[in-house]
mmCIF file of all heavy atoms in Angstrom:
data_model
loop_
_atom_site.group_PDB
_atom_site.id
_atom_site.type_symbol
_atom_site.label_atom_id
_atom_site.label_comp_id
_atom_site.label_asym_id
_atom_site.label_seq_id
_atom_site.Cartn_x
_atom_site.Cartn_y
_atom_site.Cartn_z
ATOM 1 N N THR A 106 -38.539 29.341 -159.188
ATOM 2 C CA THR A 106 -38.134 27.930 -159.174
ATOM 3 C C THR A 106 -38.956 27.131 -158.161
ATOM 4 O O THR A 106 -39.019 25.920 -158.236
ATOM 5 C CB THR A 106 -36.650 27.756 -158.816
ATOM 6 O OG1 THR A 106 -36.350 28.592 -157.713
ATOM 7 C CG2 THR A 106 -35.745 28.089 -159.974
ATOM 8 N N TYR A 107 -39.577 27.832 -157.216
ATOM 9 C CA TYR A 107 -40.388 27.131 -156.223
ATOM 10 C C TYR A 107 -41.777 26.753 -156.744
ATOM 11 O O TYR A 107 -42.558 26.143 -156.017
ATOM 12 C CB TYR A 107 -40.555 27.990 -154.977
ATOM 13 C CG TYR A 107 -39.348 28.037 -154.077
ATOM 14 C CD1 TYR A 107 -38.544 29.159 -154.014
ATOM 15 C CD2 TYR A 107 -39.034 26.958 -153.258
ATOM 16 C CE1 TYR A 107 -37.433 29.215 -153.177
ATOM 17 C CE2 TYR A 107 -37.941 26.996 -152.421
ATOM 18 C CZ TYR A 107 -37.139 28.123 -152.379
ATOM 19 O OH TYR A 107 -36.060 28.165 -151.558
ATOM 20 N N GLY A 108 -42.093 27.138 -157.992
ATOM 21 C CA GLY A 108 -43.442 26.939 -158.512
ATOM 22 C C GLY A 108 -44.022 25.549 -158.269
ATOM 23 O O GLY A 108 -45.063 25.403 -157.632
ATOM 24 N N ASP A 109 -43.322 24.525 -158.757
ATOM 25 C CA ASP A 109 -43.842 23.164 -158.622
ATOM 26 C C ASP A 109 -43.896 22.719 -157.168
ATOM 27 O O ASP A 109 -44.808 22.017 -156.748
ATOM 28 C CB ASP A 109 -42.976 22.181 -159.421
ATOM 29 C CG ASP A 109 -43.129 22.381 -160.922
ATOM 30 O OD1 ASP A 109 -44.122 23.017 -161.314
ATOM 31 O OD2 ASP A 109 -42.261 21.922 -161.687
ATOM 32 N N ALA A 110 -42.887 23.137 -156.409
ATOM 33 C CA ALA A 110 -42.839 22.734 -155.000
ATOM 34 C C ALA A 110 -44.026 23.326 -154.244
ATOM 35 O O ALA A 110 -44.652 22.649 -153.417
ATOM 36 C CB ALA A 110 -41.522 23.183 -154.372
ATOM 37 N N VAL A 111 -44.362 24.584 -154.536
ATOM 38 C CA VAL A 111 -45.509 25.208 -153.861
ATOM 39 C C VAL A 111 -46.790 24.479 -154.237
ATOM 40 O O VAL A 111 -47.631 24.181 -153.383
ATOM 41 C CB VAL A 111 -45.599 26.714 -154.212
ATOM 42 C CG1 VAL A 111 -46.928 27.293 -153.756
ATOM 43 C CG2 VAL A 111 -44.450 27.478 -153.585
ATOM 44 N N THR A 112 -46.929 24.138 -155.530
ATOM 45 C CA THR A 112 -48.124 23.420 -155.968
ATOM 46 C C THR A 112 -48.320 22.153 -155.136
ATOM 47 O O THR A 112 -49.418 21.856 -154.671
ATOM 48 C CB THR A 112 -47.990 23.028 -157.461
ATOM 49 O OG1 THR A 112 -47.609 24.190 -158.182
ATOM 50 C CG2 THR A 112 -49.280 22.479 -158.003
ATOM 51 N N LYS A 113 -47.228 21.436 -154.937
ATOM 52 C CA LYS A 113 -47.325 20.151 -154.242
ATOM 53 C C LYS A 113 -47.535 20.324 -152.728
ATOM 54 O O LYS A 113 -48.408 19.697 -152.141
ATOM 55 C CB LYS A 113 -46.034 19.354 -154.502
ATOM 56 C CG LYS A 113 -46.092 17.954 -153.937
ATOM 57 C CD LYS A 113 -44.938 17.104 -154.431
ATOM 58 C CE LYS A 113 -44.819 15.847 -153.587
ATOM 59 N NZ LYS A 113 -43.544 15.169 -153.792
ATOM 60 N N ILE A 114 -46.739 21.197 -152.124
ATOM 61 C CA ILE A 114 -46.788 21.310 -150.664
ATOM 62 C C ILE A 114 -48.041 22.060 -150.204
ATOM 63 O O ILE A 114 -48.577 21.787 -149.123
ATOM 64 C CB ILE A 114 -45.497 21.980 -150.140
ATOM 65 C CG1 ILE A 114 -44.267 21.182 -150.592
ATOM 66 C CG2 ILE A 114 -45.498 22.089 -148.632
ATOM 67 C CD1 ILE A 114 -44.226 19.736 -150.120
ATOM 68 N N ALA A 115 -48.544 22.987 -151.024
ATOM 69 C CA ALA A 115 -49.759 23.714 -150.648
ATOM 70 C C ALA A 115 -50.935 22.753 -150.542
ATOM 71 O O ALA A 115 -51.846 22.942 -149.745
ATOM 72 C CB ALA A 115 -50.055 24.811 -151.663
ATOM 73 N N LYS A 116 -50.894 21.699 -151.371
ATOM 74 C CA LYS A 116 -51.948 20.700 -151.322
ATOM 75 C C LYS A 116 -51.865 19.897 -150.020
ATOM 76 O O LYS A 116 -52.865 19.518 -149.437
ATOM 77 C CB LYS A 116 -51.797 19.760 -152.534
ATOM 78 C CG LYS A 116 -53.118 19.202 -153.028
ATOM 79 C CD LYS A 116 -52.935 18.368 -154.282
ATOM 80 C CE LYS A 116 -52.830 19.202 -155.547
ATOM 81 N NZ LYS A 116 -52.350 18.409 -156.700
ATOM 82 N N LYS A 117 -50.632 19.678 -149.571
ATOM 83 C CA LYS A 117 -50.420 18.871 -148.362
ATOM 84 C C LYS A 117 -50.851 19.635 -147.108
ATOM 85 O O LYS A 117 -51.267 19.034 -146.127
ATOM 86 C CB LYS A 117 -48.937 18.492 -148.289
ATOM 87 C CG LYS A 117 -48.594 17.522 -147.177
ATOM 88 C CD LYS A 117 -47.152 17.036 -147.307
ATOM 89 C CE LYS A 117 -46.701 16.349 -146.028
ATOM 90 N NZ LYS A 117 -45.263 16.066 -146.035
ATOM 91 N N TYR A 118 -50.723 20.957 -147.132
ATOM 92 C CA TYR A 118 -51.099 21.761 -145.959
ATOM 93 C C TYR A 118 -52.179 22.769 -146.350
ATOM 94 O O TYR A 118 -51.909 23.957 -146.505
ATOM 95 C CB TYR A 118 -49.888 22.509 -145.405
ATOM 96 C CG TYR A 118 -48.784 21.614 -144.917
ATOM 97 C CD1 TYR A 118 -47.695 21.315 -145.727
ATOM 98 C CD2 TYR A 118 -48.818 21.072 -143.630
ATOM 99 C CE1 TYR A 118 -46.680 20.490 -145.284
ATOM 100 C CE2 TYR A 118 -47.811 20.244 -143.182
ATOM 101 C CZ TYR A 118 -46.737 19.957 -144.017
ATOM 102 O OH TYR A 118 -45.731 19.143 -143.564
ATOM 103 N N PRO A 119 -53.434 22.298 -146.513
ATOM 104 C CA PRO A 119 -54.479 23.201 -147.017
ATOM 105 C C PRO A 119 -54.787 24.358 -146.069
ATOM 106 O O PRO A 119 -55.336 25.370 -146.493
ATOM 107 C CB PRO A 119 -55.692 22.275 -147.188
ATOM 108 C CG PRO A 119 -55.394 21.067 -146.380
ATOM 109 C CD PRO A 119 -53.915 20.936 -146.284
ATOM 110 N N LYS A 120 -54.452 24.221 -144.786
ATOM 111 C CA LYS A 120 -54.794 25.285 -143.835
ATOM 112 C C LYS A 120 -53.705 26.340 -143.742
ATOM 113 O O LYS A 120 -53.873 27.355 -143.068
ATOM 114 C CB LYS A 120 -55.044 24.677 -142.453
ATOM 115 C CG LYS A 120 -56.349 23.917 -142.411
ATOM 116 C CD LYS A 120 -56.757 23.598 -140.993
ATOM 117 C CE LYS A 120 -58.047 22.795 -140.957
ATOM 118 N NZ LYS A 120 -57.917 21.610 -140.105
ATOM 119 N N THR A 121 -52.580 26.097 -144.380
ATOM 120 C CA THR A 121 -51.495 27.071 -144.362
ATOM 121 C C THR A 121 -51.587 27.927 -145.625
ATOM 122 O O THR A 121 -51.909 27.422 -146.690
ATOM 123 C CB THR A 121 -50.145 26.333 -144.334
ATOM 124 O OG1 THR A 121 -50.123 25.473 -143.195
ATOM 125 C CG2 THR A 121 -48.978 27.300 -144.259
ATOM 126 N N THR A 122 -51.311 29.212 -145.476
ATOM 127 C CA THR A 122 -51.280 30.082 -146.646
ATOM 128 C C THR A 122 -49.861 30.127 -147.198
ATOM 129 O O THR A 122 -48.908 30.303 -146.441
ATOM 130 C CB THR A 122 -51.730 31.503 -146.280
ATOM 131 O OG1 THR A 122 -53.019 31.435 -145.694
ATOM 132 C CG2 THR A 122 -51.777 32.380 -147.515
ATOM 133 N N PHE A 123 -49.743 29.950 -148.503
ATOM 134 C CA PHE A 123 -48.439 30.009 -149.159
ATOM 135 C C PHE A 123 -48.381 31.228 -150.069
ATOM 136 O O PHE A 123 -49.422 31.733 -150.494
ATOM 137 C CB PHE A 123 -48.199 28.751 -149.994
ATOM 138 C CG PHE A 123 -47.980 27.515 -149.172
ATOM 139 C CD1 PHE A 123 -49.054 26.814 -148.639
ATOM 140 C CD2 PHE A 123 -46.690 27.065 -148.914
ATOM 141 C CE1 PHE A 123 -48.846 25.677 -147.873
ATOM 142 C CE2 PHE A 123 -46.478 25.929 -148.149
ATOM 143 C CZ PHE A 123 -47.561 25.239 -147.620
ATOM 144 N N ALA A 124 -47.183 31.670 -150.345
ATOM 145 C CA ALA A 124 -47.023 32.745 -151.322
ATOM 146 C C ALA A 124 -45.882 32.377 -152.239
ATOM 147 O O ALA A 124 -44.907 31.752 -151.811
ATOM 148 C CB ALA A 124 -46.721 34.052 -150.622
ATOM 149 N N ILE A 125 -46.023 32.736 -153.504
ATOM 150 C CA ILE A 125 -44.955 32.492 -154.455
ATOM 151 C C ILE A 125 -44.690 33.779 -155.225
ATOM 152 O O ILE A 125 -45.613 34.431 -155.682
ATOM 153 C CB ILE A 125 -45.297 31.308 -155.396
ATOM 154 C CG1 ILE A 125 -44.266 31.154 -156.519
ATOM 155 C CG2 ILE A 125 -46.667 31.449 -156.032
ATOM 156 C CD1 ILE A 125 -43.264 30.091 -156.260
ATOM 157 N N VAL A 126 -43.400 34.139 -155.297
ATOM 158 C CA VAL A 126 -43.015 35.351 -156.008
ATOM 159 C C VAL A 126 -42.620 34.988 -157.440
ATOM 160 O O VAL A 126 -41.889 34.010 -157.641
ATOM 161 C CB VAL A 126 -41.826 36.033 -155.289
ATOM 162 C CG1 VAL A 126 -41.436 37.314 -156.012
ATOM 163 C CG2 VAL A 126 -42.164 36.312 -153.840
ATOM 164 N N ASP A 127 -43.106 35.753 -158.407
ATOM 165 C CA ASP A 127 -42.741 35.591 -159.819
ATOM 166 C C ASP A 127 -43.288 34.342 -160.488
ATOM 167 O O ASP A 127 -42.735 33.869 -161.471
ATOM 168 C CB ASP A 127 -41.202 35.568 -160.006
ATOM 169 C CG ASP A 127 -40.594 36.936 -159.815
ATOM 170 O OD1 ASP A 127 -41.326 37.909 -159.944
ATOM 171 O OD2 ASP A 127 -39.379 37.008 -159.545
ATOM 172 N N SER A 128 -44.324 33.775 -159.960
ATOM 173 C CA SER A 128 -44.897 32.611 -160.615
ATOM 174 C C SER A 128 -46.380 32.554 -160.260
ATOM 175 O O SER A 128 -46.813 33.206 -159.313
ATOM 176 C CB SER A 128 -44.199 31.335 -160.150
ATOM 177 O OG SER A 128 -44.724 30.220 -160.828
ATOM 178 N N VAL A 129 -47.131 31.795 -161.036
ATOM 179 C CA VAL A 129 -48.556 31.659 -160.738
ATOM 180 C C VAL A 129 -48.853 30.207 -160.392
ATOM 181 O O VAL A 129 -48.560 29.305 -161.163
ATOM 182 C CB VAL A 129 -49.424 32.101 -161.933
ATOM 183 C CG1 VAL A 129 -50.890 31.847 -161.650
ATOM 184 C CG2 VAL A 129 -49.189 33.566 -162.234
ATOM 185 N N VAL A 130 -49.375 29.993 -159.206
ATOM 186 C CA VAL A 130 -49.778 28.664 -158.777
ATOM 187 C C VAL A 130 -51.261 28.762 -158.456
ATOM 188 O O VAL A 130 -51.668 29.528 -157.576
ATOM 189 C CB VAL A 130 -48.997 28.230 -157.522
ATOM 190 C CG1 VAL A 130 -49.591 26.951 -156.956
ATOM 191 C CG2 VAL A 130 -47.528 28.020 -157.848
ATOM 192 N N SER A 131 -52.083 28.020 -159.208
ATOM 193 C CA SER A 131 -53.513 28.135 -158.898
ATOM 194 C C SER A 131 -53.904 27.085 -157.884
ATOM 195 O O SER A 131 -54.059 25.923 -158.200
ATOM 196 C CB SER A 131 -54.358 28.032 -160.165
ATOM 197 O OG SER A 131 -53.716 27.221 -161.107
ATOM 198 N N ALA A 132 -54.012 27.517 -156.643
ATOM 199 C CA ALA A 132 -54.487 26.691 -155.547
ATOM 200 C C ALA A 132 -55.198 27.645 -154.596
ATOM 201 O O ALA A 132 -54.849 28.827 -154.535
ATOM 202 C CB ALA A 132 -53.324 25.992 -154.849
ATOM 203 N N PRO A 133 -56.204 27.157 -153.865
ATOM 204 C CA PRO A 133 -57.009 28.072 -153.043
ATOM 205 C C PRO A 133 -56.241 28.731 -151.902
ATOM 206 O O PRO A 133 -56.702 29.729 -151.354
ATOM 207 C CB PRO A 133 -58.127 27.170 -152.512
ATOM 208 C CG PRO A 133 -57.622 25.780 -152.668
ATOM 209 C CD PRO A 133 -56.717 25.786 -153.855
ATOM 210 N N ASN A 134 -55.085 28.187 -151.526
ATOM 211 C CA ASN A 134 -54.367 28.757 -150.390
ATOM 212 C C ASN A 134 -53.027 29.370 -150.798
ATOM 213 O O ASN A 134 -52.086 29.408 -150.016
ATOM 214 C CB ASN A 134 -54.149 27.698 -149.303
ATOM 215 C CG ASN A 134 -53.466 26.455 -149.840
ATOM 216 O OD1 ASN A 134 -53.562 26.146 -151.011
ATOM 217 N ND2 ASN A 134 -52.756 25.751 -148.978
ATOM 218 N N VAL A 135 -52.933 29.809 -152.059
ATOM 219 C CA VAL A 135 -51.661 30.369 -152.520
ATOM 220 C C VAL A 135 -51.851 31.800 -153.031
ATOM 221 O O VAL A 135 -52.786 32.088 -153.780
ATOM 222 C CB VAL A 135 -51.039 29.509 -153.646
ATOM 223 C CG1 VAL A 135 -49.764 30.147 -154.161
ATOM 224 C CG2 VAL A 135 -50.753 28.107 -153.137
ATOM 225 N N ASP A 136 -50.958 32.679 -152.606
ATOM 226 C CA ASP A 136 -50.895 34.047 -153.107
ATOM 227 C C ASP A 136 -49.790 34.097 -154.158
ATOM 228 O O ASP A 136 -48.613 33.939 -153.832
ATOM 229 C CB ASP A 136 -50.584 34.999 -151.939
ATOM 230 C CG ASP A 136 -50.359 36.430 -152.411
ATOM 231 O OD1 ASP A 136 -50.613 36.716 -153.592
ATOM 232 O OD2 ASP A 136 -49.932 37.248 -151.577
#
Side-chain angles (χ1 to χ4, degrees):
Chain A
T106 45
Y107 283 106
D109 291 342
V111 168
T112 310
K113 186 169 166 194
I114 303 300
K116 211 176 279 167
K117 187 171 166 189
Y118 298 97
K120 288 193 182 130
T121 303
T122 304
F123 290 81
I125 173 100
V126 181
D127 287 339
S128 182
V129 175
V130 171
S131 30
N134 54 334
V135 177
D136 174 9

